[in-house]
Amino acid sequence: MPSSSLQIRTPIALRGALIAAWLLALAAPALAAHSSPHAAKRASAGSTSSRYPAGVSRPRLHGGSAPLAHSAAAAKKPAAKKPKKPVLTGNPARALLAFEAMQRYYYVRGSGLYEGEPFSYLWPFSQALAATVSMANVPRLPVSISPEVHARLIGLRTYLDLNNSGALEGYTSTLAAFDGTVAPPVGPGGAKYYDDNDWVGIELARVYKKTHNAGALGYAEGIMAFEIAGYSTDPTLACAGGIPFANTVANTDRNTITTGPAAELAVQLFQITDNTEYLHFAETAYNWVRNCLLQPNQLYADHIRPHGVVDSTFWSYNQGVMIGAGTLLYQATGNSGYLYQARQTAQAAREYFTPQRLGEENPFFPSVYFRNLLYLDSVTHDPPGPKIAQAYVDYAWQHLRLSDNLFVAGSPASAQLLYQAAVVQIYALLSSPPSTYF
């Protein structure tokens, strides 16, 4: 189907089901090394100074968990004999050490949130959520990660915005979703980024798969409604279709990294709910990216502008989400064409993204790339991905790790929540079954 004819509209029945699921979730118990497109666009969206209300330090205490092994209550308990816990080695041990450091140095105890201005943007929070869910899927850990998952879901609700003011305030969507910063009254709220909501939705679907938490599924379906509504239907745009970077009126670029993971989330929800509308959207979104952003070298460009100019910068995470979307669509439909396309891109990406190029990217990008490459490899039984991912984190462990198990990246080198969460994820993915990745 030509990309210009792609028109996505949420049927009334599906819209009603999504709204019902969303309301169910609300009523349920608490559930770069170098400049990047994310960093540049977020910097241009507002002042570099904090936009939080004056005097804000943290929200009301919600109860959430304290960092692992650092709970004040645990510190007061007298020493007692406990059964011997399994001794971790290798990737699981390193994953746990990196995760504990993430919690120790970035988590704001009692809030469910992570440090920032004073709280992190949704982007790094989404990756801390992904790291936590990935850790929960690592077998035989000596500690329970379930309380941490619960705390992430509590923190996530702080970003939830049930409404934007609409066109007069510069927003194209008033659907409920998660703001790029903590929502009012605790934070300034503002634009909703489609890719960040994709990351959150993918993790919520994983949470549901593991726990059958109806609230997590409701949130994920609410995000899917936001993504579907955000899919462009403006026929005046070059290569009509695709999902923009944010729900701001000024944003008319459509991106691989917004549309590809939306396809992944849609397949996840189709697998959970058997709702064919999700599968239809996944195929439409996936085909739009292929029609509009696939380059002759079988790699995906970053975005297309309103008049058809394509930014052909290649980032590893763009290849990753399309590798993953193709693999998931193959599993959902049995159409081997999707798997062939995923393998084509994987081969091209392995040739292009040398260790040097991967090392020049924000670690978040390779973490997305590796997850999807490893997932493809688990289906094709052709395992170059684990070797590449292993080499990446082994180098980080030896050369980019501080004495307190924080990881640095960038120039000048710095430690950040986003970097730490990326390393945790890669180690956790290498330690867990690929069937848990989506």
Side-chain angles (χ1 to χ4, degrees):
M1 180 183 299
S3 63
S4 60
S5 67
L6 298 181
Q7 299 289 320
I8 290 295
R9 299 186 186 277
T10 312
I12 294 175
L14 174 59
R15 188 187 301 260
L18 294 178
I19 292 173
W22 183 259
L23 293 175
L24 172 64
L26 296 179
L31 323 165
H34 290 252
S35 177
S36 73
H38 270 79
K41 291 183 181 179
R42 278 161 174 68
S44 66
S47 169
T48 55
S49 61
S50 175
R51 293 185 292 128
Y52 280 84
V56 168
S57 60
R58 67 178 61 195
R60 306 184 300 274
L61 294 180
H62 290 294
S65 66
L68 290 181
H70 300 284
S71 165
K76 296 178 182 178
K77 291 181 179 178
K81 291 183 178 180
K82 298 181 180 179
K84 290 185 177 180
K85 296 179 179 179
V87 177
L88 288 183
T89 59
N91 289 328
R94 291 181 175 184
L96 185 57
L97 287 172
F99 180 75
E100 289 178 330
M102 182 180 81
Q103 294 303 100
R104 182 182 306 119
Y105 291 101
Y106 298 113
Y107 184 69
V108 180
R109 292 180 60 176
S111 72
L113 299 171
Y114 289 87
E115 292 182 354
E117 300 176 352
F119 307 114
S120 74
Y121 289 104
L122 180 62
W123 178 23
F125 180 92
S126 73
Q127 297 312 297
L129 170 63
T132 304
V133 176
S134 295
M135 288 298 299
N137 284 298
V138 175
R140 297 180 294 279
L141 285 180
V143 295
S144 173
I145 305 297
S146 294
E148 296 296 329
V149 174
H150 180 74
R152 295 306 85 75
L153 296 180
I154 291 173
L156 177 63
R157 292 195 307 177
T158 314
Y159 295 87
L160 179 62
D161 182 4
L162 301 181
N163 188 18
N164 275 123
S165 299
L168 293 177
E169 296 296 327
Y171 299 111
T172 59
S173 173
T174 58
L175 287 180
F178 296 94
D179 283 349
T181 60
V182 171
V186 176
K192 296 179 172 73
Y193 295 93
Y194 285 100
D195 56 338
D196 292 351
N197 275 270
D198 284 333
W199 307 131
V200 170
I202 287 169
E203 297 312 315
L204 291 171
R206 293 174 78 196
V207 170
Y208 177 78
K209 185 176 178 181
K210 185 174 180 63
T211 66
H212 296 288
N213 182 314
L217 178 58
Y219 277 125
E221 291 199 274
I223 288 173
M224 193 75 258
F226 172 69
E227 300 290 336
I228 291 173
Y231 189 93
S232 176
T233 57
D234 183 352
T236 67
L237 295 175
C239 213
I243 299 176
F245 194 69
N247 71 329
T248 54
V249 171
N251 195 301
T252 50
D253 295 345
R254 288 135 305 138
N255 308 68
T256 297
I257 206 56
T258 51
T259 314
E264 292 186 303
L265 173 59
V267 178
Q268 285 179 288
L269 293 175
F270 167 70
Q271 292 170 333
I272 293 170
T273 67
D274 290 324
N275 187 330
T276 57
E277 295 291 343
Y278 291 140
L279 182 59
H280 171 68
F281 176 76
E283 293 184 295
T284 301
Y286 174 86
N287 287 326
W288 179 84
V289 180
R290 283 192 64 82
N291 289 338
C292 298
L293 291 169
L294 182 64
Q295 302 302 292
N297 63 358
Q298 297 303 311
L299 296 177
Y300 292 93
D302 188 69
H303 64 270
I304 184 170
R305 295 173 184 166
H307 298 297
V309 176
V310 171
D311 181 337
S312 58
T313 305
F314 298 123
W315 299 99
S316 64
Y317 71 163
N318 283 328
Q319 320 317 315
V321 296
M322 289 301 288
I323 290 169
T327 306
L328 288 165
L329 280 168
Y330 161 71
Q331 292 178 310
T333 66
N335 183 342
S336 60
Y338 289 124
L339 188 62
Y340 175 76
Q341 292 164 357
R343 296 185 76 170
Q344 272 189 314
T345 298
Q347 180 178 344
R350 289 195 299 267
E351 292 171 359
Y352 181 85
F353 289 99
T354 61
Q356 179 179 350
R357 281 188 169 132
L358 289 173
E360 290 172 350
E361 291 189 341
N362 182 319
F364 159 71
F365 290 25
S367 72
V368 174
Y369 171 57
F370 291 143
R371 180 200 287 209
N372 289 277
L373 187 60
L374 293 171
Y375 191 73
L376 169 66
D377 289 348
S378 73
V379 174
T380 62
H381 306 291
D382 181 20
K387 293 180 182 178
I388 301 170
Q390 190 71 61
Y392 181 92
V393 285
D394 283 349
Y395 180 88
W397 187 267
Q398 295 168 10
H399 301 285
L400 303 176
R401 180 174 61 99
L402 304 178
S403 59
D404 52 10
N405 292 320
L406 290 179
F407 290 81
V408 298
S411 180
S414 65
Q416 297 182 22
L417 173 60
L418 189 64
Y419 303 161
Q420 193 74 15
V423 173
V424 173
Q425 284 183 72
I426 299 169
Y427 270 124
L429 294 170
L430 289 168
S431 306
S432 54
S435 60
T436 65
Y437 293 2
F438 291 100

